[in-house]
DNA sequence: CGAATCTTGTAGCCAAGGCTACATTTCGCA
DNA sequence: TGCGAAATGTAGCCTTGGCTACAAGATTCG
């Protein structure tokens, strides 16, 4: 049997790690959006916008709190910690870049938004840099 | 409260659906690769290449069988059904296109391979078409 | 001010996808 | 040929992320 290619394993492992973080990232981004819009993020609103039942959102927020990304008290809104805010900023920026890249290579706007919601979580910092450079060079075409 | 944007919900729902299919797609592709190389795909080899413990691979293969994508008998190799083969072809082609697109916008080869392993599962057919068109136009530059 | 309504919490179910430990079958080779 | 090693199966545990049903707190309004 041929030797197993370690870089391929790396790809699968990375993909699994990133998939596990994807949900956290979307919640953090959503909480940031709602806080900007309403001054706080309510569980019901988070759940509605993510398209899940409210206990699902409650559980996810519990995980965010456990990981130090958010805080909340019973029957009150959810807020991001500084760590959470930093993550939200990063995630939002990456989201924008991914959508822009997709648009730049000819993906229709609506499709780009939908696909980016999944793709974004698998874009590494190296790839993000490449996207930014590509967009910059195209801007100054 | 402002009305919840339904297209955003659509994005999150699609991302979740695609994430759920990602594993199946990687297993099917791997089984196709191993079958091409050795004439059959053994559980141990599948597990080794995906970087998981063998019972994890066994469970995943059970799911493939349940969904009509593969067949196998105890202590023997795993084989794809026609449906499984068709999926494998499609997945492999998409993988290649995603890597090529990443390379084309300046992502280093090794990084492209790793990131593509996750990104590929979130690329819709519309986006794939756009990627192909972009690559074709660039080829005939 | 109190009752209805809205929001949030909690309990408990399920499937998927990881794992380790151990049992069983197959296979290769002395 | 038979025995030890390798491969595979099975049991059982954990976490995540869905869900419904129901309990309880908070708000709104007549
Ligand atoms: Mn997302
Ligand atoms: Mn996003
Ligand atoms: Mn993949
Ligand atoms: Mn792939």
């Amino acid at each position: 049997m041929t030797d197993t290619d370690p870089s391929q394993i790396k790809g699968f492992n990375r993909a699994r790690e990133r998939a596990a973080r994807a949900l956290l990232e979307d919640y953090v981004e959503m909480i940031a959006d709602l806080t900007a819009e309403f001054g706080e993020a309510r569980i019901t609103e988070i759940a509605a916008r993510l398209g899940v039942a409210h206990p699902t959102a409650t559980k996810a927020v519990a995980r965010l709190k456990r990981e130090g990304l958010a805080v909340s008290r019973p029957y009150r809104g959810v807020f991001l910690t500084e760590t959470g805010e930093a993550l939200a900023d990063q995630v939002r920026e990456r989201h924008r870049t991914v959508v822009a890249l997709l648009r730049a290579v000819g993906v229709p706007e609506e499709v780009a938004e939908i696909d980016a919601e999944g793709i974004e979580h698998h874009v590494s910092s190296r790839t993000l840099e490449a996207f930014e450079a590509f967009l910059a060079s195209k801007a100054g075409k």
Side-chain angles (χ1 to χ4, degrees), chain A:
Chain A
M1 162 187 348
T2 29
D3 238 351
T4 301
D5 177 3
S7 86
Q8 198 184 16
I9 295 183
K10 198 164 158 191
F12 290 121
N13 285 332
R14 285 280 173 85
R16 277 193 293 266
E17 285 165 23
R18 293 187 192 284
R21 294 218 57 193
L23 255 287
L24 285 195
E25 294 179 350
D26 284 337
Y27 272 91
V28 161
E29 190 182 359
M30 181 59 72
I31 291 168
D33 288 351
L34 291 172
T35 303
E37 198 176 341
F38 302 118
E40 66 176 349
R42 308 299 308 220
I43 284 284
T44 303
E45 189 66 16
I46 296 170
R49 294 216 188 179
L50 289 173
V52 297
H54 86 264
T56 301
T58 302
K59 260 204 237 182
V61 167
R63 194 175 153 210
L64 293 186
K65 293 169 75 170
R66 203 186 328 138
E67 304 202 2
L69 296 170
V71 291
S72 76
R73 293 184 346 235
Y75 296 97
R76 289 281 172 279
V78 181
F79 302 89
L80 295 178
T81 60
E82 284 200 13
T83 312
E85 299 246 32
L87 178 58
D89 288 349
Q90 183 194 317
V91 165
R92 192 157 27 200
E93 177 58 25
R94 191 188 52 191
H95 183 109
R96 270 197 290 262
T97 302
V98 170
V99 171
L101 188 282
L102 291 176
R103 301 280 296 112
V105 301
V107 178
E109 168 125 36
E110 208 185 312
V111 178
E113 256 322 317
I114 293 174
D115 286 16
E117 205 50 75
I119 291 173
E120 56 178 357
H121 308 285
H122 296 273
V123 169
S124 65
S125 56
R126 297 278 295 281
T127 294
L128 196 62
E129 280 168 30
F131 284 6
E132 281 158 1
F134 178 82
L135 289 167
S137 82
K138 230 205 163 188
K141 59 139 183 315

